[in-house]
Amino acid sequence: MRPLLERPGPLLRGRMLDRPNRFTLLVRMGWGVERVHLPDPGALRTVLAPGREVICERREGTGRRTRFTALAVRVGRIYVMVDSSLANLLFARALEEGLLPELRGSRILFREKKMKEGRLDFMLEGARGERSYVEVKSCTHVEGGVAKFPDRPTERGRRHLRLLRRLSRRGERAYLFFVIQRPDAEVLRPFREVDPEFSVELRKAEEEGVLLRAFSIHFRPPRLYFWRRVRVEALSP
């Protein structure tokens, strides 16, 4: 397998101590305790726990309060990516590599496509000029092989679903892609207990022609690989 991405800089390992707020971890490194930026604001209940190995990258720059950013957390024998911003990049690379058969031959026309009703991650053009609209979501919550989204209530996610539904009703091709940032998922379902409204919107989206897709990622430091396609069950049991 060819990797979709490779992290360019040195990767540093530490042990998680605490999560004082949604965007910060306390991590014990070889020289002491560091405050580390956590770029995934999700609940991460199946990911974060004191004592787990955290892989960090050094990302210094103007305005930053921390020297490091968390990239992945080891859960048992696998790594779970905790940088949700990578989901769009992973989708784009999978598209370029021809790993998404329904979109093979498509190219990216716009990123962060603005429309009157809102904004979506991608607007694509197919080989015959057909347009597709794509929203990408990062998923990290997996229990017993079942990925669940979202792990916190998401009004933004509901708005995206309503926009995709409107596009589909107008005859446009509309996709919602879940990038599962770990390799142990066999199916993806809405997390009805966390956000029942999102679950309802997802079911309506599928009924109205929005195409729901998912694939998983396997991180073998420093490389991220496309792992497998994962089926989406909009009507969770």
Side-chain angles (χ1 to χ4, degrees):
M1 294 186 296
R2 288 197 301 173
L4 290 182
L5 293 176
E6 182 169 347
R7 304 312 296 171
L11 301 180
L12 304 169
R13 288 170 165 80
R15 295 285 172 180
M16 177 182 163
L17 297 176
D18 195 12
R19 184 187 191 179
N21 60 59
R22 289 177 68 177
F23 295 100
T24 306
L25 294 179
L26 295 182
V27 178
R28 182 175 297 282
M29 313 292 273
W31 55 88
V33 177
E34 290 279 351
R35 294 181 69 87
V36 173
H37 175 59
L38 176 63
D40 187 332
L44 300 171
R45 285 185 292 272
T46 63
V47 181
L48 298 180
R52 284 184 173 167
E53 178 187 323
V54 182
I55 294 184
C56 304
E57 295 178 307
R58 183 183 291 272
R59 296 186 195 172
E60 298 184 80
T62 304
R64 285 186 61 98
R65 296 182 179 180
T66 61
R67 295 188 296 167
F68 303 99
T69 291
L71 179 66
V73 174
R74 188 176 183 113
V75 179
R77 297 199 294 180
I78 66 168
Y79 285 101
V80 182
M81 307 304 296
V82 290
D83 187 344
S84 55
S85 68
L86 291 176
N88 282 16
L89 185 54
L90 289 163
F91 169 83
R93 291 291 297 134
L95 178 72
E96 293 167 5
E97 293 292 327
L99 297 171
L100 310 174
E102 60 273 77
L103 294 173
R104 194 165 288 147
S106 295
R107 65 185 184 93
I108 297 171
L109 277 183
F110 297 102
R111 299 172 189 259
E112 295 292 324
K113 174 62 178 174
K114 294 181 181 179
M115 291 168 283
K116 182 173 66 174
E117 306 97 325
R119 183 196 302 256
L120 292 173
D121 289 321
F122 296 96
M123 181 180 187
L124 311 179
E125 183 179 61
R128 292 174 291 183
E130 68 275 17
R131 301 287 174 88
S132 299
Y133 296 87
V134 179
E135 178 65 20
V136 177
K137 298 296 181 189
S138 172
C139 176
T140 59
H141 188 103
V142 175
E143 295 180 88
V146 179
K148 294 184 178 182
F149 183 92
D151 73 349
R152 286 191 194 272
T154 172
E155 172 55 33
R156 184 169 179 266
R158 289 178 234 131
R159 288 200 308 269
H160 286 142
L161 282 173
R162 291 191 286 269
L163 174 52
L164 291 169
R165 287 169 56 199
R166 287 196 290 271
L167 289 168
S168 183
R169 287 197 298 267
R170 295 206 303 251
E172 304 282 2
R173 192 182 309 184
Y175 287 91
L176 177 61
F177 265 87
F178 296 94
V179 177
I180 305 169
Q181 301 223 49
R182 52 192 293 173
D184 55 341
E186 298 172 3
V187 61
L188 183 141
R189 297 172 183 153
F191 210 153
R192 185 171 52 191
E193 299 84 354
V194 168
D195 193 335
E197 292 180 52
F198 182 89
S199 180
V200 170
E201 291 288 346
L202 191 69
R203 175 176 51 80
K204 289 179 179 178
E206 185 177 56
E207 290 172 349
E208 294 178 11
V210 177
L211 300 162
L212 309 178
R213 302 288 187 268
F215 64 87
S216 60
I217 295 300
H218 196 354
F219 183 45
R220 295 172 177 167
R223 300 176 182 87
L224 291 93
Y225 295 88
F226 183 98
W227 192 239
R228 64 170 67 134
R229 296 298 296 263
V230 175
R231 74 181 184 277
V232 179
E233 295 179 352
L235 185 59
S236 61

